[in-house]
Amino acid sequence: MKIGLIGFGKTGKSVASILLENKKFSLEWVLRQSKVLEHRSVPEFFGIESKEPGLIYSSSTTSIDDLLEKHPVDAIIDFSSNEGIYIYGESAAKKNVKIISAISHYKDKELKLLKKLADKTTVFWSPNITLGVNYLLFAAKFLKKIAPWVDIEVNEEHFKKKQGTSGTAIKIAEALDVEAENINSVRAGGIVGKHEVIFGFPYQTVRLIHESISREAFGNGVVFVAENLKDKKKGLYNFEDILSPYFVV
């Protein structure tokens, strides 16, 4: 499966390293805003031997249309920003290239665009693409269904410079009918990401916790999504759509 990666920040680099390790995928190129590292290859950047091209391009000098024409891919993985979808979205949809977006925060405008693109191609979006945190969300919704009257608290912890409430925490709160203002946030040091759901019963407490030890967890999530998405028809998908079949008895 040929992959194009949008964004090459800390998480994008971790995702790229995981893709290079997996023989089922070929990292064809990376597109980023900065001209730094332009025309270098990702394998060279990591200092590893690989037959995959993985060339780095800058959106300021290379258009997505030219990139898709000269270096076609089966899927585009987006780890850039909420504005990135405007750079590649329409072009990818026209060419029926699958879109896998892992952007934490989208505004209504971007969400409407995703739905529009899903009429033309296969689109997946998750504010947190790690398999573990989505399993936590699935399990939390199941427990809430069993005991809808239980007290619920949502906690999230991230690195000191992360701004705003975690998109994952907001999604968890929405799924469990917890008010967003009741999400407890901690910003300290270099915490990669931790999410906790506390279920308070009268005589017992249940805690569901997911902690990302390194950003490579996002790469593993991408691989899981891409493998389960390759045969999906056009439409807008989320992690629950992919996980649900595994829970059918």
Side-chain angles (χ1 to χ4, degrees):
M1 190 174 188
K2 294 183 177 181
I3 302 294
L5 178 63
I6 308 290
F8 203 57
K10 289 181 180 179
T11 304
K13 290 182 177 70
S14 297
V15 171
S17 69
I18 294 296
L19 290 172
L20 288 174
E21 291 175 2
N22 195 303
K23 301 305 179 184
K24 294 181 180 179
F25 299 92
S26 174
L27 182 60
E28 297 295 303
W29 46 260
V30 171
L31 184 65
R32 64 190 310 224
Q33 287 186 330
S34 174
K35 291 184 180 180
V36 177
L37 303 177
E38 189 176 19
H39 301 312
R40 285 185 60 183
S41 76
V42 176
E44 176 199 351
F45 174 81
F46 287 122
I48 60 175
E49 293 185 8
S50 175
K51 295 181 180 180
E52 298 176 32
L55 286 177
I56 301 171
Y57 297 89
S58 170
S59 58
S60 61
T61 56
T62 303
S63 73
I64 187 65
D65 288 316
D66 286 343
L67 204 51
L68 289 175
E69 188 66 35
K70 297 176 182 177
H71 307 285
V73 295
D74 300 304
I76 286 178
I77 297 169
D78 186 5
F79 273 92
S80 58
S81 68
N82 64 317
E83 297 292 326
I85 190 66
Y86 297 109
I87 295 175
Y88 69 87
E90 292 288 355
S91 297
K94 286 179 182 178
K95 292 183 175 293
N96 198 31
V97 174
K98 290 179 171 59
I99 295 171
I100 300 175
S101 173
I103 303 304
S104 296
H105 294 279
Y106 271 136
K107 297 178 181 177
D108 288 341
K109 185 179 178 182
E110 285 84 48
L111 292 176
K112 288 179 180 178
L113 177 57
L114 286 182
K115 292 177 182 178
K116 179 182 175 183
L117 297 176
D119 290 332
K120 300 178 182 178
T121 189
T122 307
V123 180
F124 174 92
W125 174 59
S126 176
N128 187 315
I129 206 166
T130 61
L131 177 58
V133 82
N134 283 283
Y135 177 81
L136 176 149
L137 178 57
F138 202 97
K141 290 171 70 174
F142 189 74
L143 185 53
K144 171 69 182 294
K145 188 175 182 179
I146 295 173
W149 41 265
V150 69
D151 295 328
I152 302 175
E153 289 288 328
V154 177
N155 301 328
E156 58 102 351
E157 302 176 11
H158 285 84
F159 54 93
K160 193 169 184 177
K161 292 185 179 180
K162 182 176 178 64
Q163 298 179 352
T165 305
S166 158
T168 301
I170 292 174
K171 184 176 180 180
I172 292 173
E174 289 176 347
L176 301 176
D177 294 322
V178 174
E179 295 294 331
E181 55 266 28
N182 292 333
I183 298 174
N184 305 300
S185 299
V186 173
R187 297 290 177 266
I191 300 172
V192 176
K194 181 178 179 180
H195 294 88
E196 178 182 26
V197 182
I198 303 173
F199 293 89
F201 292 89
Y203 304 106
Q204 60 185 321
T205 301
V206 175
R207 295 173 183 264
L208 298 177
I209 300 173
H210 174 268
E211 186 167 8
S212 294
I213 299 170
S214 76
R215 288 182 173 83
E216 274 71 15
F218 294 96
N220 292 137
V222 163
V223 167
F224 180 81
V225 169
E227 288 180 337
N228 283 272
L229 208 66
K230 60 184 179 181
D231 296 324
K232 297 287 187 184
K233 297 179 180 179
K234 62 183 178 181
L236 181 59
Y237 298 87
N238 57 34
F239 233 113
E240 191 169 337
D241 297 321
I242 291 178
L243 285 178
S244 293
Y246 290 94
F247 287 82
V248 176
V249 179

